[in-house]
Amino acid sequence: MSKTENLAQHLEKLHINNMYKNDFYWTWDKTDDELDAIFTVADALRDLRERNISTRIFDSGLGISIFRDNSTRTRFSFASACNLLGLDIKDLDEKTSQIAHGETVRETANMVSFMADVVGIRDDMFIEEGHKYQKTFMDALDEGYEKGILEQRPTLVNLQCDVDHPTQSMADLLHVIHEMGGVENLKGKKIAMTWAYSPSYGKPLSVPQGIIGLFTRFGMDVVLAHPEGYEVMPEVEEIAKKNAEESGGSFTKVNSMEEAFKDADIVYPKSWAPFKAMEKRTELYRAGDKAGIDALEKELLAQNAGHKDWSCTEDMMKLTKDGQALYMHCLPADISGLSCKEGEVDNSVFDRYIEPLYKEASFKPYIIAAMIFLSKVKDPVAALRDLEKRGGKRKEF
Amino acid sequence: MSKTENLAQHLEKLHINNMYKNDFYWTWDKTDDELDAIFTVADALRDLRERNISTRIFDSGLGISIFRDNSTRTRFSFASACNLLGLDIKDLDEKTSQIAHGETVRETANMVSFMADVVGIRDDMFIEEGHKYQKTFMDALDEGYEKGILEQRPTLVNLQCDVDHPTQSMADLLHVIHEMGGVENLKGKKIAMTWAYSPSYGKPLSVPQGIIGLFTRFGMDVVLAHPEGYEVMPEVEEIAKKNAEESGGSFTKVNSMEEAFKDADIVYPKSWAPFKAMEKRTELYRAGDKAGIDALEKELLAQNAGHKDWSCTEDMMKLTKDGQALYMHCLPADISGLSCKEGEVDNSVFDRYIEPLYKEASFKPYIIAAMIFLSKVKDPVAALRDLEKRGGKRKEF
Amino acid sequence: MSKTENLAQHLEKLHINNMYKNDFYWTWDKTDDELDAIFTVADALRDLRERNISTRIFDSGLGISIFRDNSTRTRFSFASACNLLGLDIKDLDEKTSQIAHGETVRETANMVSFMADVVGIRDDMFIEEGHKYQKTFMDALDEGYEKGILEQRPTLVNLQCDVDHPTQSMADLLHVIHEMGGVENLKGKKIAMTWAYSPSYGKPLSVPQGIIGLFTRFGMDVVLAHPEGYEVMPEVEEIAKKNAEESGGSFTKVNSMEEAFKDADIVYPKSWAPFKAMEKRTELYRAGDKAGIDALEKELLAQNAGHKDWSCTEDMMKLTKDGQALYMHCLPADISGLSCKEGEVDNSVFDRYIEPLYKEASFKPYIIAAMIFLSKVKDPVAALRDLEKRGGKRKEF
């Protein structure tokens, strides 16, 4: 039996009726079966592509991407996922558009979506803004579709907001599932999601939030570690606690990197900005207080600099389970002695984990494609079987 | 009988032999039958897409877009139209190209068109320049095709020049046809194309010109209203007059918004710059007179500010036929109290018409696709029938 | 027999087993048969396209382009070539990516290539850097592919480095082959690759280097002419010498444009920067010595200005074989009295050769497509025959 057929049989058993024509904002909106379905379809699409079988389900159509922050890997992952399914990509570049004229989100949403099947949005810079933008955008598309303005209602893929970064955390988790030899082996494993020092400022909180909001669902011991003052959003901590209780795992908060690393199976050391500072920054931006923003930046860089010992060094790695924990990062990392003087991780550690790190990243296009597939295809089990049976070649000759 | 078959039968009766391999500069270059054909094919393509039937007529090929001014909706409409027919889109971004080196239009035209089936150009900033640029570009492609440099002669779609904005006016008209229940119901209807106050400066004249140059062909009473000093190009006024005479409608010019709105079935209040000022601006740019340009801008903003009463308020709307005229705009509008303090239209008026406004915009991709289709397909009647009969799915599963 | 079948029969006789899954850095890496194969496939793809036969060999897949310098014609040529074969194009824009964060080439290479079949790179600004960047990039992809991070190993097409500009020189040569009526007619023909005056500064050396490194392989008399101080890379001169010996042609260096033009069959007058100055500039950039760079620029512009007599004037053209040499240029040229006051060529000369110049450029998309085709298709002879036999229409109706 082929791998894809195997995966189709697994998919058949899941309750996923709610996924068709639905959006993806946050992992905690989704049931366990729905997350399972995404992993399953991602693996199937990868299997088909590895066997040079076309997974084109669109003859034409557009994937719209809106990046309100810089991006390389998510940008290319989204483009790859769209291409894999037959969609063309069209970036909305707010600089060359008339959006500067002050048009509303509602209007923009409709104007770019006449032939869009998917919209991918990254808006992670401002606490309390990113998710709101995505929600406003999609509500406008609901309205546009209902009123016959749009021929189809595009699906949202959240490419990172202020709250969650689901394409990242899902790719991370699928990587862990593959590394551990199956989702059933996650139970009881310890993962340390820890803050790490970076010479830069204001990195989004959505990665640590995404990790604790997702990994707690699989019976793992999830430890969130950071210096005092680097708290994440309390709402997401609540979700992590509840998840851990339900899944039979645990969610712990500590203020010591050493404690988090101790006997960890997985470590995820990464810088982020303090939640409260980001709230303050959002207010300063709203008020247009340039001097206040500059002052805040200086203050935060000084605060960061007080925690240079929060770094994933070789010594720190020795504390982990057999000194061999799986090192993870969403990339790009601030690598001490390579991309900066002092950063999140020693070059020797990073370099030893290059292969798993890049593999981790390689799941993202398939996770995105699976999200689109499950939202667009009414009967995904039949569709996977059809694609395999039909056996169209991705590359001829 | 399907809607598409119905439309194909109508198309069969029209005299449109001239459209194959032809460009689209201005609506007044085209016969009534040719305009009818565009509306007909636009409706047919929309019908097919709504029924998930592929309208791909290209297996590969490029649509080149050149935006010498900002754009969102026209940019995405062009991209959508190309995608609908199977063409990839490639933007010519003059900033990252070698065009800054001073190459000629003739050279650029050929260099970007080796595999181009369509070229869409927006060049609306300077009076006496936009159309000239498009014409020079297309003449160069004629030459390139004749001499065997290009395998195919790409078609031009004018995405807005200094004279006309045909994809806008045609989408506007198709919207009106649908709202009025058929083109035959346009006769005797009054449309007020009126200037409106905007806090910004130098908006193109091609929208009002496009509207009076097109709507006068359908037996309508077209009223052009603006404060003294905001005249449009006299050549286009002449066309409007001639059209009105031939179609049995009328073309009137007034200097009062109230008069224009009185009993109007349709109102189109929108800001634009005075023709003579735009002529002067073009000269100042040619001369590189920065100080002169700044002085002109100040002068024009002051001139605008003298006409803040030219605004589509609730009171103004009450003057229209039963207080219920169809409000139109090419978007984005300057909305009082939403996108600016005082602008073209009251927020409450704009908001009440959101649905028809977005529908109006939704015709543009299909109008563009129809223009391309009729220029590229030798027997469009047979092609529409074939597409329907073949019934390829746009989205499988 | 069709032209394509004819070309397939020729291709059948060539030894090209090494081309499958291989990259294209420099023409002198390739055997004569391999270059012949590229010309042959380029002609076949053009023949098929002219006959409206689809040459799509990819159902989906991406071509990634990285332009670290401005580009119009190479950018559109690469996009056209990808489109011709069925690949979507995705530009890596380093300004909107996270590359500014300081990530390594190794990481970028893997992150953008998950679904990439081809990577086209232009990096021509700095001597000793361009080729190194391409090599590092492709080595990283080797590693990524071996370790299962990438499903496929993308092919490199060098879109211009500091050493060679193979898509240009190959397009140039295919043009010459067609103009001369066959590759066998090149023997004994004289080509003058000469420096010419330009008011701009620092143009890449890769064009003259590419020309002398390639044209010397066909038994031609290749003359490289430039003022003293404008030497090209000595390694490439060595290659040219060796080529000339083996092919029975000659490679001569002179310091006189007149001498080079004398009785030439072909002239290629074009500005470039002195190799030693470019080495110095690279060092200054590495050291971040802004003042030094400015001083060097001034110095080089002054040096250029001492050689304004190196211009392809009407008088100069009279020196060539029957006054009728084929004039070539990679475009855009600095045209005296058109794009600059004094430049590389008289407007009247340039204008007379517009048709062959644009034809010269028109080969580039096909050369690039042929490079991709031969690297991606295991049995290119069978594939060409299949494409022709299958006869899928590029444009239906």
Side-chain angles (χ1 to χ4, degrees):
Chain A
M1 195 191 303
S2 78
K3 190 173 171 183
T4 291
E5 175 53 32
N6 226 339
L7 291 161
Q9 292 186 8
H10 178 67
L11 191 61
E12 215 163 11
K13 292 174 206 146
L14 302 174
H15 293 88
I16 53 169
N17 292 336
N18 240 351
M19 301 188 86
Y20 184 52
K21 298 194 174 180
N22 219 328
D23 296 317
F24 205 108
Y25 287 102
W26 298 338
T27 59
W28 42 89
D29 287 339
K30 303 292 172 187
T31 66
D32 290 350
D33 270 14
E34 288 170 347
L35 298 186
D36 192 347
I38 289 169
F39 293 136
T40 305
V41 170
D43 279 346
L45 293 174
R46 190 164 197 158
D47 176 56
L48 292 171
R49 196 179 198 280
E50 282 175 355
R51 291 156 57 202
N52 197 33
I53 296 176
S54 169
T55 53
R56 241 192 126 126
I57 57 170
F58 294 97
D59 156 84
S60 61
L62 292 176
I64 307 294
S65 59
I66 304 176
F67 285 92
R68 314 188 95 198
D69 192 8
N70 285 342
S71 169
T72 306
R73 65 217 75 234
T74 301
R75 187 186 292 275
F76 276 79
S77 292
F78 183 71
S80 298
C82 287
N83 177 265
L84 187 69
L85 301 177
L87 297 173
D88 266 6
I89 311 111
K90 184 82 186 148
D91 267 314
L92 174 63
D93 179 353
E94 301 191 352
K95 279 184 294 293
T96 65
S97 77
Q98 295 198 7
I99 289 171
H101 290 205
E103 76 179 70
T104 60
V105 175
R106 179 160 68 153
E107 192 166 312
T108 307
N110 277 280
M111 295 305 121
V112 303
S113 300
F114 294 131
M115 309 239 172
D117 290 291
V118 196
V119 177
I121 303 178
R122 162 167 292 185
D123 189 337
D124 59 0
M125 297 283 278
F126 301 112
I127 284 287
E128 282 165 36
E129 292 293 337
H131 173 66
K132 206 165 71 185
Y133 177 83
Q134 295 188 357
K135 190 74 174 61
T136 311
F137 199 101
M138 299 317 293
D139 287 348
L141 295 187
D142 275 337
E143 196 192 354
Y145 179 60
E146 277 162 29
K147 294 187 174 164
I149 291 150
L150 308 175
E151 246 74 80
Q152 70 298 314
R153 164 58 163 75
T155 301
L156 172 78
V157 177
N158 171 6
L159 298 177
Q160 188 167 11
C161 69
D162 55 320
V163 184
D164 196 7
H165 191 350
T167 66
Q168 182 64 46
S169 63
M170 294 284 287
D172 290 342
L173 189 60
L174 187 51
H175 172 59
V176 169
I177 290 171
H178 280 270
E179 289 286 322
M180 301 286 174
V183 70
E184 60 281 5
N185 298 329
L186 268 57
K187 211 164 255 301
K189 292 286 191 306
K190 177 178 177 182
I191 176 169
M193 177 73 240
T194 96
W195 190 87
Y197 170 73
S198 156
S200 82
Y201 140 84
K203 298 205 176 185
L205 287 83
S206 43
V207 171
Q209 291 173 174
I211 294 297
I212 65 168
L214 178 63
F215 280 60
T216 43
R217 293 173 74 164
F218 296 86
M220 300 180 79
D221 295 322
V222 178
V223 180
L224 176 68
H226 54 73
E228 272 187 64
Y230 287 84
E231 281 70 27
V232 300
M233 292 176 80
E235 303 89 304
V236 183
E237 290 193 2
E238 281 312 306
I239 287 161
K241 267 186 226 167
K242 202 172 138 278
N243 284 345
E245 278 167 29
E246 288 175 11
S247 77
S250 66
F251 173 63
T252 324
K253 283 171 60 185
V254 298
N255 288 138
S256 152
M257 200 184 199
E258 286 81 358
E259 199 180 330
F261 267 52
K262 185 97 186 24
D263 289 325
D265 299 279
I266 305 169
V267 295
Y268 203 134
K270 155 148 198 16
S271 193
W272 66 81
F275 168 55
K276 290 215 176 299
M278 289 300 95
E279 276 193 321
K280 195 172 162 192
R281 187 172 70 151
T282 301
E283 279 161 39
L284 292 167
Y285 268 99
R286 270 195 202 123
D289 182 351
K290 185 81 184 65
I293 293 163
D294 289 348
L296 179 66
E297 178 171 347
K298 259 184 209 150
E299 194 188 300
L300 288 172
L301 285 173
Q303 188 185 351
N304 273 9
H307 305 291
K308 291 191 179 176
D309 52 324
W310 285 71
S311 182
C312 183
T313 59
E314 289 287 4
D315 280 346
M316 204 64 90
M317 282 303 288
K318 283 183 190 141
L319 299 174
T320 68
K321 179 77 135 301
D322 305 325
Q324 306 255 10
L326 180 66
Y327 167 80
M328 296 180 75
H329 199 286
C330 55
L331 306 178
D334 289 316
I335 305 163
S336 307
L338 183 68
S339 57
C340 60
K341 218 176 121 190
E342 298 165 294
E344 298 169 317
V345 59
D346 273 7
N347 193 7
S348 64
V349 173
F350 187 85
D351 202 64
R352 193 162 67 247
Y353 285 93
I354 284 267
E355 188 180 328
L357 278 168
Y358 290 1
K359 271 199 185 139
E360 179 185 350
S362 77
F363 289 103
K364 202 185 275 180
Y366 294 103
I367 288 289
I368 297 173
M371 288 173 176
I372 300 171
F373 194 92
L374 284 158
S375 170
K376 288 296 176 184
V377 170
K378 205 169 176 183
D379 184 347
V381 175
L384 285 178
R385 283 179 174 149
D386 244 51
L387 286 170
E388 185 172 37
K389 196 179 155 194
R390 181 172 78 185
K393 286 185 185 171
R394 186 190 76 82
K395 176 168 85 71
E396 276 199 85
F397 307 116
Chain B
M1 195 191 301
S2 78
K3 188 172 173 183
T4 291
E5 175 52 31
N6 227 339
L7 292 161
Q9 291 186 9
H10 178 67
L11 192 60
E12 216 162 10
K13 293 174 208 147
L14 303 174
H15 293 89
I16 53 169
N17 292 337
N18 240 352
M19 301 190 86
Y20 185 52
K21 298 195 174 180
N22 219 327
D23 295 318
F24 206 109
Y25 287 103
W26 299 337
T27 59
W28 43 88
D29 287 340
K30 304 291 172 188
T31 67
D32 290 349
D33 270 14
E34 289 170 347
L35 298 186
D36 192 348
I38 290 171
F39 294 135
T40 306
V41 171
D43 278 345
L45 293 175
R46 189 164 196 158
D47 175 56
L48 292 172
R49 196 179 199 279
E50 283 175 353
R51 289 156 59 203
N52 196 33
I53 296 176
S54 170
T55 53
R56 238 191 129 127
I57 58 170
F58 294 98
D59 156 85
S60 61
L62 292 176
I64 308 294
S65 59
I66 304 177
F67 285 91
R68 314 187 95 197
D69 192 7
N70 286 341
S71 169
T72 306
R73 64 218 75 233
T74 302
R75 186 186 292 274
F76 275 80
S77 292
F78 183 72
S80 297
C82 286
N83 177 265
L84 188 69
L85 302 177
L87 298 174
D88 266 5
I89 311 112
K90 184 83 187 148
D91 268 315
L92 174 63
D93 178 354
E94 301 191 351
K95 278 183 295 294
T96 64
S97 78
Q98 295 197 7
I99 289 171
H101 291 205
E103 76 179 69
T104 60
V105 175
R106 178 159 69 153
E107 191 165 311
T108 306
N110 277 280
M111 295 304 120
V112 303
S113 300
F114 295 131
M115 309 238 172
D117 289 292
V118 195
V119 178
I121 304 178
R122 161 167 294 187
D123 189 338
D124 58 1
M125 298 283 278
F126 301 112
I127 284 287
E128 281 165 39
E129 291 295 337
H131 173 66
K132 205 165 73 184
Y133 177 83
Q134 295 188 358
K135 191 75 175 60
T136 311
F137 199 100
M138 299 317 292
D139 287 348
L141 294 187
D142 275 337
E143 195 193 354
Y145 178 61
E146 276 161 30
K147 294 187 174 164
I149 291 150
L150 308 175
E151 246 74 81
Q152 69 298 313
R153 163 63 161 72
T155 301
L156 171 77
V157 176
N158 171 7
L159 298 178
Q160 188 166 11
C161 70
D162 54 321
V163 184
D164 196 7
H165 191 350
T167 65
Q168 182 65 47
S169 64
M170 295 283 287
D172 290 342
L173 189 60
L174 188 50
H175 171 59
V176 169
I177 291 171
H178 281 270
E179 290 285 323
M180 301 285 173
V183 70
E184 62 280 6
N185 299 329
L186 269 55
K187 212 165 255 299
K189 293 284 191 309
K190 176 178 177 183
I191 175 169
M193 177 75 240
T194 94
W195 189 87
Y197 169 73
S198 156
S200 83
Y201 141 86
K203 299 207 176 184
L205 287 82
S206 43
V207 171
Q209 291 173 172
I211 294 297
I212 64 168
L214 178 63
F215 280 60
T216 43
R217 294 173 74 163
F218 298 86
M220 299 179 79
D221 293 322
V222 178
V223 181
L224 176 68
H226 54 75
E228 272 186 65
Y230 287 85
E231 282 70 29
V232 301
M233 293 175 79
E235 303 90 304
V236 183
E237 290 193 3
E238 281 311 306
I239 287 161
K241 268 184 228 168
K242 203 172 137 280
N243 285 345
E245 279 166 29
E246 289 175 11
S247 77
S250 66
F251 173 62
T252 324
K253 283 172 61 185
V254 298
N255 288 138
S256 152
M257 199 182 200
E258 286 81 358
E259 199 180 329
F261 267 52
K262 184 98 184 29
D263 288 325
D265 298 279
I266 305 169
V267 294
Y268 203 134
K270 164 162 191 3
S271 193
W272 67 81
F275 168 55
K276 290 216 176 299
M278 289 300 95
E279 275 193 323
K280 196 172 162 191
R281 188 172 70 152
T282 301
E283 277 161 42
L284 292 167
Y285 268 99
R286 272 195 201 122
D289 181 353
K290 185 84 184 61
I293 293 163
D294 289 348
L296 180 65
E297 177 171 347
K298 258 183 208 149
E299 193 188 299
L300 288 171
L301 285 173
Q303 189 184 350
N304 273 9
H307 305 291
K308 291 194 180 176
D309 53 323
W310 285 71
S311 182
C312 183
T313 59
E314 290 287 4
D315 280 345
M316 204 65 90
M317 284 302 288
K318 284 182 189 140
L319 299 174
T320 68
K321 179 78 134 299
D322 306 326
Q324 306 255 11
L326 180 67
Y327 167 80
M328 295 181 75
H329 199 284
C330 55
L331 304 179
D334 289 316
I335 305 164
S336 306
L338 183 69
S339 58
C340 60
K341 217 176 122 191
E342 297 165 292
E344 297 169 318
V345 59
D346 273 6
N347 193 9
S348 63
V349 173
F350 188 84
D351 202 65
R352 193 163 66 248
Y353 286 93
I354 283 269
E355 188 180 327
L357 279 167
Y358 291 1
K359 271 200 185 139
E360 178 185 350
S362 77
F363 289 103
K364 203 186 273 179
Y366 294 103
I367 288 290
I368 297 173
M371 288 174 177
I372 301 171
F373 194 92
L374 284 158
S375 171
K376 288 297 176 185
V377 169
K378 207 169 174 183
D379 184 347
V381 175
L384 286 178
R385 282 177 175 151
D386 243 52
L387 287 170
E388 185 173 37
K389 195 179 156 195
R390 182 172 77 185
K393 287 185 184 170
R394 186 190 76 82
K395 176 169 83 73
E396 276 199 85
F397 307 116
Chain C
M1 196 191 300
S2 77
K3 189 171 172 184
T4 291
E5 175 53 32
N6 227 339
L7 291 161
Q9 291 186 10
H10 178 68
L11 192 61
E12 216 162 11
K13 292 174 207 147
L14 303 174
H15 293 89
I16 53 169
N17 292 337
N18 240 352
M19 300 189 87
Y20 185 53
K21 297 194 176 182
N22 219 328
D23 295 317
F24 206 108
Y25 287 103
W26 299 337
T27 59
W28 41 89
D29 287 339
K30 304 291 172 188
T31 67
D32 290 350
D33 270 14
E34 288 170 347
L35 299 186
D36 192 347
I38 289 170
F39 294 135
T40 306
V41 171
D43 279 345
L45 292 174
R46 190 165 197 158
D47 176 56
L48 291 171
R49 196 180 199 280
E50 283 175 354
R51 289 157 58 202
N52 197 32
I53 296 176
S54 170
T55 54
R56 239 192 128 126
I57 57 170
F58 294 98
D59 155 84
S60 61
L62 292 176
I64 309 293
S65 58
I66 305 177
F67 285 91
R68 313 187 97 199
D69 193 8
N70 284 342
S71 169
T72 306
R73 62 217 77 234
T74 302
R75 187 186 292 274
F76 276 79
S77 292
F78 183 71
S80 297
C82 286
N83 178 265
L84 188 69
L85 302 176
L87 298 174
D88 266 4
I89 311 112
K90 183 82 187 150
D91 268 314
L92 174 62
D93 178 352
E94 301 191 350
K95 278 183 294 294
T96 64
S97 78
Q98 295 198 7
I99 288 170
H101 290 204
E103 76 178 71
T104 60
V105 176
R106 178 158 69 152
E107 192 165 312
T108 306
N110 277 280
M111 295 305 121
V112 302
S113 299
F114 295 130
M115 308 236 172
D117 290 291
V118 196
V119 178
I121 304 179
R122 162 166 293 185
D123 189 338
D124 59 0
M125 298 283 279
F126 300 112
I127 285 285
E128 281 165 39
E129 292 294 337
H131 174 66
K132 206 164 72 184
Y133 177 83
Q134 295 188 358
K135 191 75 175 62
T136 311
F137 199 101
M138 298 318 291
D139 287 349
L141 294 188
D142 275 336
E143 195 192 356
Y145 179 60
E146 276 162 30
K147 294 188 173 163
I149 291 149
L150 307 175
E151 246 73 80
Q152 70 298 314
R153 163 62 161 73
T155 301
L156 172 78
V157 176
N158 171 6
L159 298 177
Q160 188 167 9
C161 71
D162 54 321
V163 184
D164 196 7
H165 190 351
T167 65
Q168 182 65 46
S169 63
M170 296 283 287
D172 291 341
L173 189 59
L174 187 51
H175 172 59
V176 169
I177 291 171
H178 281 269
E179 290 285 323
M180 301 286 173
V183 69
E184 61 280 7
N185 299 330
L186 269 55
K187 213 166 252 304
K189 292 285 190 308
K190 177 178 177 182
I191 175 168
M193 176 75 240
T194 96
W195 190 86
Y197 169 73
S198 157
S200 83
Y201 140 86
K203 298 207 175 184
L205 287 84
S206 43
V207 171
Q209 292 173 172
I211 295 297
I212 65 168
L214 178 62
F215 281 60
T216 43
R217 294 174 74 164
F218 297 86
M220 300 180 79
D221 294 322
V222 177
V223 180
L224 176 68
H226 54 73
E228 272 187 65
Y230 286 84
E231 281 70 28
V232 302
M233 293 175 79
E235 303 89 305
V236 183
E237 290 193 3
E238 281 312 308
I239 288 161
K241 268 184 228 168
K242 202 172 137 278
N243 284 346
E245 280 167 29
E246 289 175 10
S247 77
S250 66
F251 174 63
T252 323
K253 282 172 62 183
V254 298
N255 288 137
S256 152
M257 200 184 199
E258 286 81 359
E259 199 180 330
F261 266 52
K262 184 100 185 25
D263 289 325
D265 299 279
I266 305 169
V267 295
Y268 203 134
K270 156 148 196 18
S271 192
W272 66 81
F275 167 55
K276 290 217 176 298
M278 289 299 96
E279 275 192 324
K280 195 172 162 191
R281 187 173 71 151
T282 301
E283 278 160 40
L284 292 168
Y285 268 98
R286 271 194 201 122
D289 182 353
K290 185 82 183 60
I293 292 163
D294 289 348
L296 179 66
E297 179 171 346
K298 260 184 209 148
E299 193 187 300
L300 288 171
L301 285 174
Q303 188 184 351
N304 273 9
H307 305 291
K308 291 192 179 176
D309 52 324
W310 285 70
S311 181
C312 183
T313 59
E314 290 288 3
D315 281 344
M316 204 65 89
M317 283 303 288
K318 283 181 191 144
L319 299 174
T320 68
K321 179 78 135 298
D322 306 325
Q324 306 256 11
L326 180 66
Y327 167 80
M328 295 181 75
H329 199 285
C330 55
L331 305 180
D334 289 316
I335 305 164
S336 307
L338 184 69
S339 58
C340 59
K341 216 174 122 192
E342 297 165 293
E344 297 170 319
V345 59
D346 273 6
N347 193 8
S348 63
V349 173
F350 187 85
D351 202 63
R352 192 162 67 246
Y353 285 93
I354 283 268
E355 187 179 328
L357 279 168
Y358 291 0
K359 272 200 186 139
E360 179 186 350
S362 76
F363 289 104
K364 202 185 273 180
Y366 294 103
I367 288 289
I368 297 173
M371 288 174 176
I372 300 171
F373 194 93
L374 284 158
S375 171
K376 288 298 175 184
V377 169
K378 206 170 175 181
D379 184 346
V381 175
L384 286 178
R385 283 178 174 150
D386 243 52
L387 286 171
E388 185 172 37
K389 196 180 154 194
R390 183 171 75 185
K393 287 185 184 170
R394 185 189 77 81
K395 176 169 84 72
E396 276 198 85
F397 308 116

